[in-house]
């Protein structure tokens, strides 16, 4: 069937075969032309409305996107609100690695006592990011705003220091782990050296300059055999790339302290453990494997000597971190120029009571009420050291640092958290 246009339009434009037909239907054509015009206008208005709605939807989605992206007005407000101090003589602290194990605990402790806290974390996948997201949720409940970003992002750091005059920086972001360095060495250089320098540059350029407390590691003692380890001991024999990057960090921070007047305190952590801990740590992976009925690998040192670690409970580490912030002297520089000497300190934060790995496993078996299936092997040459033991007399004197949680008690708290977090029922795990 021909269409309506074909039926009423002449075959030859401008010529009509039947004038009578055209004359008699002139009114009809006028009416149709009017109707067609209205139809076209209706289509136009419909298209215009659809375009407006699409544009409005785009703007709304764009607004939502911008509100959650760093640099937006909403984002800036979240940063300022989180940095707000709620106690007399409080501090405003930028915590790097805030969704990490130590970072999340320190952030909550500071926020609970009324300090301002802003966190930053890159949520990398070195271990399960969902655990980091869960820690972030805990921080959200405490009104701590955690920014997803990298400490190597110069523009992000500059923006943060432009928005908030941070009095302190708690630098805990790092690529952790000894063995992983053999698989991905560049990640350690990126985070532990380049990231540290980027952060120090931002702190140097800030006005006022913040005081800095940062996480070094007991691994810097490397192949030392003298125990307990003291801050004055040699640290030029690292046994792993991780240890080497932390040792490099100590030298780099000393340089920035000397040249730019940054107040810097380095903390050498000794085997931190506890609830919300890192899944790559031995006590954590042992717990998982024991509950799942899988064997665990227990390494031993030369001459079949058991490995030993100075296990330090997370609450004790937090006390040392907060004490370091509270006693940190002010930086003496301004706009990158030093006006005088600034504080530079390094402290051991340990428990002073090393426990062998087999003893730690026995404690886990007791708390889990499950016998472990153990494979005992000689320690491979992967950068691990046979023992750690902290001398904490300097931290006791300067910070009032005094650990109070022994390994038996601390592992009990960890196990209760683990069973709850991963949905185990204690009675079902008994064998």
């Amino acid at each position: 069937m021909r269409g309506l246009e074909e039926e009423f339009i002449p075959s030859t434009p401008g010529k009509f075969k039947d004038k009578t037909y055209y004359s008699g239907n002139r009114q009809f054509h006028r009416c149709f032309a009017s109707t067609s015009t209205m139809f076209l206008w209706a289509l136009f208005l419909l298209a215009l409305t659809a375009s407006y709605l699409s544009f409005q939807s785009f703007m709304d989605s764009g607004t939502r996107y911008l509100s959650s992206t760093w640099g937006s007005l909403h984002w800036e407000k979240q940063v300022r609100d989180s940095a707000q101090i709620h106690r007399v003589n409080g501090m405003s602290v930028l915590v790097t690695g805030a969704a990490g194990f130590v970072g999340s605990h320190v952030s909550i402790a500071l926020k609970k006592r009324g300090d301002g806290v802003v966190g930053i974390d890159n949520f990398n996948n070195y271990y399960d990011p969902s655990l980091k997201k869960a820690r972030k949720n805990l921080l959200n409940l405490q009104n701590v705003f955690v920014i997803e970003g990298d400490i190597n992002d110069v523009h992000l750091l500059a923006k943060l220091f432009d928005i908030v005059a941070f009095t302190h920086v708690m630098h805990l972001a790092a690529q952790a782990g000894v063995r992983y360095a053999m698989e991905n060495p560049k990640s350690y250089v990126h985070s532990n050296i380049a990231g540290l320098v980027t952060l120090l540059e931002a702190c140097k350029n800030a006005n006022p300059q913040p005081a800095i407390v940062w996480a070094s590691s007991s691994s810097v003692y490397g192949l030392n055999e003298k125990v307990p380890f003291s801050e004055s001991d040699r640290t030029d024999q690292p046994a792993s790339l991780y240890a080497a990057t932390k040792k490099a960090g100590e030298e780099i921070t000393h340089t920035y302290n000397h040249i730019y007047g940054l107040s810097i305190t380095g903390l050498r952590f000794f085997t931190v453990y506890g609830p919300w801990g890192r899944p790559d740590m031995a006590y954590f992976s042992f717990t998982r494997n024991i509950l799942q009925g899988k064997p665990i690998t227990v390494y031993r040192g030369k001459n079949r000597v058991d490995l030993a670690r100075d296990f330090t409970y997370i609450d004790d580490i937090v006390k040392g971190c907060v004490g370091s912030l509270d006693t940190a002297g002010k930086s003496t520089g301004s706009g990158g120029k030093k006006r005088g000497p600034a504080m530079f300190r390094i402290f051991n934060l340990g428990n002073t009571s090393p426990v062998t790995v087999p003893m730690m496993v026995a404690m886990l078996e007791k708390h889990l009420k499950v016998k472990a299936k153990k494979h005992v092997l000689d320690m491979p040459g992967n950068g691990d050291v046979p023992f750690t033991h902290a001398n904490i007399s300097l931290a006791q004197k300067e910070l009032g640092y005094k650990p109070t949680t022994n390994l038996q008690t601390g592992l009990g708290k960890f196990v209760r958290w683990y069973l709850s977090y991963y949905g185990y029922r204690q009675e079902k795990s008994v064998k």
Side-chain angles (χ1 to χ4, degrees):
M1 175 184 283
R2 294 184 303 170
L4 187 65
E5 293 84 358
E6 289 180 89
E7 185 175 354
F8 290 99
I9 293 177
S11 58
T12 305
K15 294 183 179 179
F16 300 94
K17 295 177 180 178
D18 189 346
K19 292 183 180 181
T20 306
Y21 173 82
Y22 176 73
S23 177
N25 289 279
R26 184 176 294 172
Q27 277 307 110
F28 178 82
H29 278 280
R30 285 179 179 171
C31 179
F32 173 72
S34 176
T35 303
S36 298
T37 302
M38 291 179 64
F39 178 72
L40 289 172
W41 272 108
L43 282 177
F44 174 74
L45 290 173
L46 204 60
L48 193 63
T49 303
S51 298
Y52 172 78
L53 292 174
S54 297
F55 178 75
Q56 190 65 40
S57 175
F58 170 78
M59 290 299 293
D60 289 343
S61 62
T63 301
R64 287 193 296 271
Y65 173 76
L66 289 172
S67 68
S68 62
T69 304
W70 80 263
S72 70
L73 293 176
H74 179 65
W75 181 87
E76 288 188 16
K77 184 178 185 302
Q78 287 179 294
V79 171
R80 287 193 182 91
D81 289 348
S82 192
Q84 194 70 39
I85 299 170
H86 295 284
R87 70 181 180 95
V88 178
N89 298 322
M91 58 185 74
S92 181
V93 189
L94 174 64
V95 180
T96 71
F101 176 31
V102 179
S104 57
H105 282 268
V106 171
S107 296
I108 290 173
L110 291 172
K111 195 70 174 182
K112 280 187 173 180
R113 73 175 195 172
D115 292 317
V117 181
V118 176
I120 181 172
D121 201 293
N122 69 357
F123 294 89
N124 68 24
N125 61 356
Y126 167 63
Y127 62 81
D128 185 6
S130 69
L131 183 58
K132 300 176 186 180
K133 296 290 186 182
R135 296 192 195 114
K136 181 183 178 181
N137 291 337
L138 284 182
L139 294 169
N140 287 340
L141 292 174
Q142 298 296 325
N143 296 315
V144 175
F145 182 49
V146 180
I147 299 152
E148 186 163 352
D150 196 303
I151 56 171
N152 282 284
D153 190 334
V154 177
H155 301 295
L156 173 57
L157 292 181
K159 185 69 174 177
L160 285 171
F161 280 98
D162 182 54
I163 297 171
V164 179
F166 292 107
T167 60
H168 296 73
V169 170
M170 186 79 221
H171 178 45
L172 298 167
Q175 177 57 63
V178 170
R179 300 185 186 98
Y180 183 61
M182 300 179 73
E183 300 175 34
N184 190 2
K186 290 183 179 179
S187 67
Y188 289 78
V189 176
H190 176 80
S191 295
N192 302 358
I193 297 179
L196 175 61
V197 171
T198 303
L199 179 66
L200 291 173
E201 280 289 307
C203 294
K204 174 214 35 171
N205 294 326
N207 193 7
Q209 292 177 336
I212 301 165
V213 179
W214 75 287
S216 183
S217 169
S218 63
S219 67
V220 299
Y221 292 110
L223 301 176
N224 282 4
E225 294 185 355
K226 169 189 160 293
V227 289
F229 299 148
S230 298
E231 290 88 348
S232 58
D233 291 345
R234 288 181 61 183
T235 55
D236 57 356
Q237 302 178 86
S240 67
L241 179 61
Y242 170 70
T245 61
K246 286 299 185 178
K247 171 60 178 176
E250 292 187 353
E251 302 303 323
I252 290 168
T253 53
H254 182 274
T255 302
Y256 274 79
N257 165 264
H258 173 68
I259 297 176
Y260 301 112
L262 287 175
S263 169
I264 296 179
T265 303
L267 303 176
R268 293 172 178 170
F269 294 160
F270 282 72
T271 316
V272 189
Y273 74 99
W276 298 97
R278 280 175 28 213
D280 63 310
M281 298 289 284
Y283 74 94
F284 200 115
S285 61
F286 284 176
T287 299
R288 178 177 60 244
N289 287 354
I290 291 171
L291 286 170
Q292 294 176 358
K294 298 178 181 178
I296 63 173
T297 300
V298 178
Y299 292 115
R300 60 191 175 192
K302 294 179 181 178
N303 303 317
R304 299 190 173 186
V305 174
D306 291 331
L307 304 184
R309 293 288 181 269
D310 196 344
F311 294 97
T312 313
Y313 189 63
I314 182 61
D315 288 2
D316 292 326
I317 289 292
V318 170
K319 291 174 187 174
C321 291
V322 173
S324 297
L325 290 168
D326 286 341
T327 58
K330 291 184 177 181
S331 293
T332 62
S334 176
K337 295 182 179 180
K338 177 181 176 182
R339 295 196 303 270
M343 175 182 284
F344 184 83
R345 311 178 293 176
I346 292 179
F347 296 114
N348 287 338
L349 293 186
N351 194 55
T352 75
S353 302
V355 175
T356 66
V357 175
M359 287 177 62
M360 182 265 284
V361 173
M363 293 178 189
L364 282 175
E365 290 175 324
K366 180 180 178 182
H367 288 300
L368 294 169
K369 300 182 176 65
V370 182
K371 195 71 175 175
K373 301 172 183 176
K374 296 184 281 283
H375 287 167
V376 181
L377 300 175
D378 290 334
M379 183 175 66
N382 58 12
D384 264 337
V385 293
F387 56 84
T388 60
H389 184 183
N391 178 338
I392 61 169
S393 58
L394 187 60
Q396 286 177 323
K397 177 183 176 183
E398 299 293 330
L399 308 177
Y401 175 71
K402 184 179 180 181
T404 58
T405 305
N406 61 37
L407 184 59
Q408 181 75 256
T409 302
L411 283 179
K413 294 179 179 181
F414 165 74
V415 166
R416 286 194 294 277
W417 168 82
Y418 186 98
L419 295 174
S420 173
Y421 182 79
Y422 289 101
Y424 285 90
R425 294 183 61 186
Q426 183 74 49
E427 62 271 20
K428 286 191 175 182
S429 65
V430 177
K431 293 186 179 179

